[in-house]
Amino acid sequence: MPTPCSPGAQHLPRALSPGSDVTGGWQAAGSSQRGPMSIPSKWKIAQHWDASPRRSDFAPHLLLDEPCCFACGWFSERWSQATPQASWQRANLDRAHIIPRSLGGPDDASNLLLLCRPCHQESPDWIDPEQMARWIATRGERSSRELETFMAWLAAAEKAPDFKDALASVVAEEGATERVAELLQGLLDRAGTHFGIGFSQGTRVAVLQTAADEITRRVQQAGCEANEPRSVDIQN
């Protein structure tokens, strides 16, 4: 590893120099001096970047009392807990290294960001931290988890037109909303999920199509029962 005075030192990116705010003073390139260190909690990482002068570069969406992805702002209402610390710990966000561990990046808060899974998967694995900052600057915003789920179900309904027709056939009935919701929940309880994804879009379409078939069957059954002749017992 070149020292600050060695011929190779001038080729190191500025952010990787000793004393860098981003790397916490680690010389990441080719470093073999990694010491034992437990990875910081999500709350500690959030606190670090909340106070960092580079916050706007590496955590532009950060609000300490509302957990979200540092890069795109994605969040979920389900993460809300009694305290900000508990909310951050509950948040479904990945700890992402600015400088990858494989390139010598340390496991301390100054080298860690909290990212949603898509951002983590698409973020650069590069030795220069400024490339991460540039990538974050180009990242578009994501809506909340709840809104994304709602929009996904709307898109699924477009691919299951029979569901809309079946729903229209019962929507005026008393208690129809509750019965359809119960039917959908029962079908979801029987559905499988993809690891790290939850319900796939294909699964949503299958659930809605199956619900449409069941609603149609019940409507037809009710119609048949209503049209069945009933015997009348006439007593003189």
Side-chain angles (χ1 to χ4, degrees):
M1 179 71 195
T3 66
C5 296
S6 67
Q10 63 267 28
H11 299 298
L12 285 176
R14 174 186 56 78
L16 300 186
S17 306
S20 163
D21 289 338
V22 176
T23 64
W26 282 69
Q27 295 179 338
S31 175
S32 61
Q33 300 178 5
R34 180 188 300 277
M37 181 183 296
S38 60
I39 196 163
S41 68
K42 296 175 184 177
W43 174 239
K44 291 294 185 183
I45 296 170
Q47 285 183 305
H48 169 83
W49 287 105
D50 183 61
S52 173
R54 301 297 306 275
R55 170 179 171 171
S56 61
D57 297 320
F58 289 91
H61 295 279
L62 172 61
L63 294 175
L64 202 55
D65 58 347
E66 296 180 4
C68 70
C69 173
F70 286 7
C72 73
W74 181 74
F75 69 97
S76 173
E77 296 172 4
R78 297 182 181 181
W79 299 344
S80 180
Q81 300 293 300
T83 65
Q85 179 175 358
S87 297
W88 278 101
Q89 292 306 108
R90 180 178 174 81
N92 185 23
L93 297 169
D94 294 348
R95 296 175 180 85
H97 289 77
I98 297 175
I99 300 175
R101 297 189 74 214
S102 60
L103 298 179
D107 292 335
D108 58 51
S110 66
N111 190 49
L112 290 167
L113 303 176
L114 297 175
L115 303 179
C116 65
R117 185 60 53 84
C119 282
H120 193 185
Q121 291 176 339
E122 296 177 28
S123 62
D125 294 316
W126 199 246
I127 198 168
D128 182 359
E130 297 308 318
Q131 295 302 326
M132 177 70 83
R134 291 175 180 175
W135 176 82
I136 290 174
T138 66
R139 198 70 175 160
E141 291 189 21
R142 284 181 68 191
S143 54
S144 70
R145 175 180 179 179
E146 287 71 23
L147 182 56
E148 285 186 340
T149 299
F150 176 73
M151 297 303 294
W153 279 105
L154 284 183
E158 292 297 321
K159 296 183 178 181
D162 290 348
F163 176 75
K164 292 190 290 184
D165 295 339
L167 194 61
S169 70
V170 299
V171 69
E173 297 178 5
E174 183 178 356
T177 301
E178 291 77 11
R179 290 195 297 273
V180 171
E182 183 179 353
L183 172 61
L184 290 174
Q185 186 58 59
L187 293 173
L188 286 173
D189 290 342
R190 291 159 47 191
T193 58
H194 286 307
F195 178 76
I197 297 176
F199 296 117
S200 69
Q201 199 65 353
T203 300
R204 292 188 179 99
V205 173
V207 166
L208 295 180
Q209 189 60 58
T210 303
D213 295 342
E214 179 62 19
I215 292 171
T216 301
R217 185 191 67 77
R218 293 181 185 181
V219 169
Q220 292 174 345
Q221 181 179 1
C224 291
E225 292 174 354
N227 293 328
E228 287 180 356
R230 299 183 180 181
S231 59
V232 179
D233 185 11
I234 301 177
Q235 296 180 350
N236 295 324

